[in-house]
Amino acid sequence: RKEVEQDPGPFNVPEGATVAFNCTYSNSASQSFFWYRQDCRKEPKLLMSVYSSGNEDGRFTAQLNRASQYISLLIRDSKLSDSATYLCVVNTNFGNEKLTFGTGTRLTIIP
Amino acid sequence: GAVVSQHPSWVICKSGTSVKIECRSLDFQATTMFWYRQFPKQSLMLMATSNEGSKATYEQGVEKDKFLINHASLTLSTLTVTSAHPEDSSFYICSALSTSGYEQYFGPGTRLTVT
């Protein structure tokens, strides 16, 4: 089983729609969770950290369910500029900050 | 925010030659930097953890004699791909751990093509 699993997509969503991504992780001792965004042929950029209480940043909402080892990202009112690959990232080795990346979910917003 | 640069942004080299890639933290000091590799349509895979003033820690399956890492200062880590082969062609990305020790800031990546 992969340490971090994501639905690779692609997700093709009309502009203005709401889209949700899911991610599961295998190591129950994982400490930190993130969503990164990666544009084609570019480096990943931190979108948001994910906290147990859930957190929201504008149109983006992230949720963490430790019992189910499940992370989600919700994008509301999607924009054309949201088209990218979204990476679920987990810190599986607390203390040395090593990150494990999921393979990413490709999102395309259609005008 | 924190800025990390990489140089070169892309490089084409012949098989058998060596290539050095630099990773710099421009506005903060980073005792720990990471080197990743990403093949097309795949996720980032951690190659090694680079610690200032000490030897790098390599992930399983990564040849330390082939991928030489030097973290000589708090703002610079270098990755040298020795005796490069076409299968080493990839997107190499570094990151620097923030001073808080929580976030990683990524460089823009170096695209290596070995012919």
Side-chain angles (χ1 to χ4, degrees), chain B residues 62-101:
Chain B
V62 178
E63 299 176 57
K64 63 180 181 180
D65 294 330
K66 179 170 180 62
F67 299 98
L68 302 178
I69 292 172
N70 187 325
H71 194 155
S73 78
L74 289 172
T75 59
L76 173 64
S77 176
T78 62
L79 168 69
T80 301
V81 183
T82 62
S83 187
H85 290 285
E87 57 265 30
D88 298 324
S89 298
S90 188
F91 191 43
Y92 291 85
I93 308 173
C94 73
S95 71
L97 192 62
S98 67
T99 49
S100 69

Side-chain angles (χ1 to χ4, degrees), chain A residues 20-107:
Chain A
F21 304 137
N22 302 321
C23 168
T24 57
Y25 60 96
S26 61
N27 188 338
S28 60
S30 299
Q31 297 288 331
S32 306
F33 310 89
F34 311 89
W35 282 102
Y36 277 76
R37 167 197 171 123
Q38 186 174 26
D39 293 288
C40 189
R41 302 174 77 86
K42 299 280 189 179
E43 77 278 19
K45 294 190 176 179
L46 179 64
L47 181 64
M48 59 197 307
S49 302
V50 187
Y51 305 115
S52 296
S53 55
N55 48 303
E56 186 175 311
D57 183 3
R59 299 181 293 109
F60 299 86
T61 301
Q63 296 278 352
L64 167 64
N65 184 322
R66 286 189 183 270
S68 301
Q69 295 178 204
Y70 170 96
I71 306 160
S72 66
L73 175 68
L74 183 77
I75 305 175
R76 291 182 299 278
D77 188 24
S78 53
K79 311 290 185 191
L80 295 176
S81 57
D82 294 334
S83 297
T85 296
Y86 289 83
L87 304 169
C88 177
V89 183
V90 176
N91 180 337
T92 56
N93 292 279
F94 187 68
N96 64 11
E97 308 310 320
K98 286 169 57 172
L99 299 180
T100 300
F101 285 76
T103 52
T105 299
R106 176 72 191 149
L107 172 67

